[in-house]
Amino acid sequence: MLDETAQGVFTIAVTPFLPDGALDWDSIDRMVDFYIEKGATGLTILGMMGEAGKLTAEESIAVVKRVTARSSVPIVVGVSAPGFAAMKTLSDAAMDLGAAGVMVAPPGSLKTDDQIVAYYHNAAEVLGDAPFVLQDFPLVTNVVIPTKVILQVVADCPTCVMLKHEDWPGLEKISALRAASDAGARRISILCGNGGLYLLEEMLRGADGAMTGFAYPEMMAQVIAAYRRGNLDHARDIFDAYMPMVRYEAQPGLGLAIRKYTLAQRGVIAHETVRKPGGALTATTKAEVDSLAKRQEARLRSLGV
């Protein structure tokens, strides 16, 4: 079961599809193996970049069943939904299938601090004993969750064991949360997103690792390992080598297509298909990704990585 001690890299998994949009089960198996081989200490499936909103309820449960059966690391399942009935159905099914916990993002209808606290009170009640991750991603949800509100949810809801931190800018929020823990507030795990754009700085502020996707998930594992060895210069060198690709993949509206294209080029998934509605890459964009990949490979070789 997921708990407050979780750390490392919980890779946000894509959902592979065949060219006709059907689920690609062979690629799902290969992808799970790949993420773990590249250093994932956990996997998060059915997240926003996992195209969860494009799956039927039956498909979502089938994906959870396939991944939990395949994986040797803990699985967190995104269960965010417009209503609590759908959330409970998927959460209950996921936990029964062996998931370690679930993740809940706030709906865009929440406008006040009191509404946010009340929502997570209700979510915790609906989820029962399932440990949950509070996803703080205002750039997508349009819900701004102040530090004091996160602390209130953590204080009120014992099953809230992790924050997926994706506020931007948000480094001061990590510092404030850790200062509150030092002063006596319950300490929860903080794993960070945003494609790893600020990973090293987030670790220096007190984060426990990453919960994000990137077509080179080994980057997160390598940077965190160097950081934990106390070799900050090497961690920065590794991060710098990947940074052009991280930046390119971070393009709003196109990032998932870039990630899937790269994973297909790496032989992880068979097809780069983004289920409709979704963008496709032009030949020019693909050439740019290929060029970045070649330069990245050369730079990593020079670092001995």
Side-chain angles (χ1 to χ4, degrees):
M1 296 283 279
L2 192 70
D3 64 24
E4 295 88 346
T5 66
Q7 59 180 329
V9 180
F10 277 61
T11 305
I12 294 283
V14 301
T15 302
F17 298 106
L18 298 171
D20 64 0
L23 287 163
D24 182 352
W25 298 110
D26 289 341
S27 288
I28 288 175
D29 290 345
R30 195 162 52 247
M31 176 190 70
V32 170
D33 294 346
F34 168 79
Y35 285 145
I36 296 171
E37 176 190 341
K38 295 301 182 181
T41 54
L43 298 178
T44 301
I45 61 174
L46 304 185
M48 295 176 185
M49 293 294 273
E51 299 177 80
K54 302 177 187 176
L55 273 61
T56 66
E58 292 76 16
E59 286 176 326
S60 296
I61 292 173
V63 169
V64 175
K65 183 176 182 180
R66 188 80 170 209
V67 173
T68 53
R70 185 82 178 185
S71 177
S72 59
V73 298
I75 302 298
V76 173
V77 178
V79 298
S80 304
F84 287 122
M87 181 188 296
K88 178 176 175 55
T89 297
L90 181 53
S91 176
D92 288 351
M95 297 305 292
D96 287 345
L97 289 167
V102 299
M103 182 167 66
V104 180
S109 59
L110 304 181
K111 303 302 180 185
T112 69
D113 293 352
D114 287 346
Q115 288 174 341
I116 296 168
V117 171
Y119 178 83
Y120 277 103
H121 283 177
N122 289 329
E125 181 179 352
V126 165
L127 296 173
D129 294 332
F132 74 89
V133 180
L134 191 165
Q135 185 173 10
D136 182 19
F137 197 6
L139 294 175
V140 170
T141 63
N142 293 315
V143 179
V144 177
I145 310 180
T147 301
K148 65 178 182 179
V149 173
I150 294 173
L151 291 170
Q152 187 65 56
V153 172
V154 170
D156 295 347
C157 305
T159 51
C160 179
V161 297
M162 179 185 292
L163 172 68
K164 186 186 180 189
H165 173 272
E166 296 190 272
D167 205 347
W168 188 1
L171 294 175
E172 297 298 339
K173 179 179 282 187
I174 299 175
S175 294
L177 289 168
R178 287 304 182 226
S181 296
D182 291 341
R186 182 166 68 91
R187 188 189 192 280
I188 63 170
S189 173
I190 299 178
L191 300 186
C192 298
N194 285 319
L197 274 167
Y198 310 103
L199 177 59
L200 188 54
E201 289 78 14
E202 289 162 344
M203 296 296 296
L204 289 165
R205 295 291 189 116
D208 298 293
M211 181 184 280
T212 193
F214 178 45
Y216 296 87
E218 59 266 37
M219 180 274 280
M220 279 81 77
Q222 292 164 356
V223 169
I224 291 172
Y227 165 80
R228 287 181 175 160
R229 291 195 302 269
N231 195 339
L232 291 183
D233 286 341
H234 189 52
R236 293 188 191 281
D237 288 341
I238 294 170
F239 183 80
D240 290 348
Y242 286 103
M243 191 61 216
M245 188 69 84
V246 173
R247 172 188 60 83
Y248 199 83
E249 194 187 275
Q251 295 180 72
L254 201 60
L256 178 59
I258 294 169
R259 185 177 301 171
K260 282 193 158 184
Y261 171 74
T262 307
L263 289 171
Q265 291 297 104
R266 300 189 75 187
V268 181
I269 59 178
H271 309 281
E272 62 192 79
T273 308
V274 176
R275 185 177 266 191
K276 297 179 180 179
L281 304 186
T282 64
T284 301
T285 299
K286 291 180 180 180
E288 290 169 347
V289 174
D290 294 340
S291 177
L292 288 170
K294 289 179 181 178
R295 289 178 60 83
Q296 175 179 284
E297 183 179 354
R299 193 166 183 184
L300 288 168
R301 279 201 306 268
S302 72
L303 293 171
V305 177

